[in-house]
Every structure is written in structure tokens, then in C-alpha cells.
């Protein structure tokens, strides 16, 4: 990994606190029996007792039965960062982020 990215990816103390709350909430949801699936940046929540997997034709989901989704799913969901596929990953940096990234080269 590019060591110069560490300062660019570091969160502030306030951001870390907020993110830790999100991680705790995620664990609580899993403990309550929620199964999560990400569909192009939409994090969907299902009752794990009713839904055991999510997939597509090339990667079928786990489960005794499968149901083809024609018009999507009516599951509870929130928009989150989009998932990355198996390709080259790129970070878009702000001017401030690029300056910090390049600063690591100068030291």
C-alpha cells in the first residue's frame, strides 16, 4: 500500500467518534439478526431468519430457495458509498488532500 495515503485517510477525532458509533450500530444490527447486502451503494437490511443471501446469476445467493428480483427489492435501505468491483481502485483527492499527499514525497 502507498504509505503516503496514511495522512490523507486519517479521520479527525470527531470523525473517528462518529465512525465508531456507526460501527457499533452495525454490530448491534447484526446481533439483532439483520442480514446486510450492498447493491451499488444501497445498503439493504433483511431479517436474517427470512433472507440468507443476496447475489446474481453468476454468484447465486445462499439459501434453500431463490427469488429473481425483476424491479429491485423493497428492503429497508440507505445510500452509502458505492461498492467497488474487481478493477483498479482510485481515490479522488481534494486540493488539500493532494497537497498533503505530495507533502509526504518532499520529506
Amino acid at each position: 500500500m502507498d504509505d503516503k495515503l496514511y495522512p490523507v485517510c486519517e479521520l479527525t477525532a470527531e470523525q473517528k467518534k462518529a465512525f465508531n458509533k456507526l460501527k457499533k450500530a452495525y454490530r448491534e444490527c447484526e446481533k439483532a439478526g439483520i442480514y446486510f447486502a450492498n447493491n451499488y451503494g444501497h445498503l439493504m437490511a433483511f431479517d436474517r431468519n427470512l433472507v440468507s443471501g443476496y447475489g446474481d446469476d453468476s454468484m447465486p445467493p445462499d439459501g434453500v430457495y431463490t427469488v429473481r428480483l425483476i424491479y429491485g427489492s423493497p428492503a429497508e435501505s440507505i445510500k452509502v458509498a458505492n461498492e467497488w468491483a474487481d478493477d483498479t481502485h482510485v481515490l479522488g483527492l481534494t486540493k488539500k488532500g493532494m497537497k498533503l499527499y505530495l507533502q509526504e514525497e518532499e520529506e
Side-chain angles (χ1 to χ4, degrees):
M1 181 172 25
D2 187 344
D3 290 342
K4 296 181 296 182
L5 285 175
Y6 282 101
V8 174
C9 295
E10 189 173 353
L11 297 176
T12 66
E14 184 179 342
Q15 291 168 334
K16 285 180 188 178
K17 185 177 177 181
F19 187 65
N20 285 335
K21 287 180 184 178
L22 176 62
K23 291 192 299 187
K24 182 180 178 190
Y26 187 88
R27 286 190 305 266
E28 288 175 5
C29 287
E30 288 186 315
K31 188 177 176 181
I34 294 176
Y35 170 79
F36 288 106
N38 186 351
N39 184 18
Y40 297 109
H42 288 86
L43 185 63
M44 299 179 294
F46 300 95
D47 182 336
R48 187 172 289 282
N49 292 314
L50 304 174
V51 176
S52 61
Y54 188 86
D56 59 25
D57 289 335
S58 62
M59 269 182 31
D62 293 335
V64 179
Y65 306 100
T66 58
V67 176
R68 184 175 299 275
L69 302 174
I70 304 299
Y71 299 108
S73 170
E76 292 288 330
S77 68
I78 58 172
K79 180 75 172 141
V80 295
N82 201 353
E83 64 190 33
W84 287 347
D86 236 359
D87 52 14
T88 302
H89 302 159
V90 178
L91 283 179
L93 302 181
T94 63
K95 285 183 181 182
K96 183 177 179 181
M98 190 62 173
K99 183 177 180 181
L100 184 60
Y101 179 78
L102 294 174
Q103 181 178 342
E104 294 296 309
E105 287 182 349
E106 297 170 2
E107 294 178 358

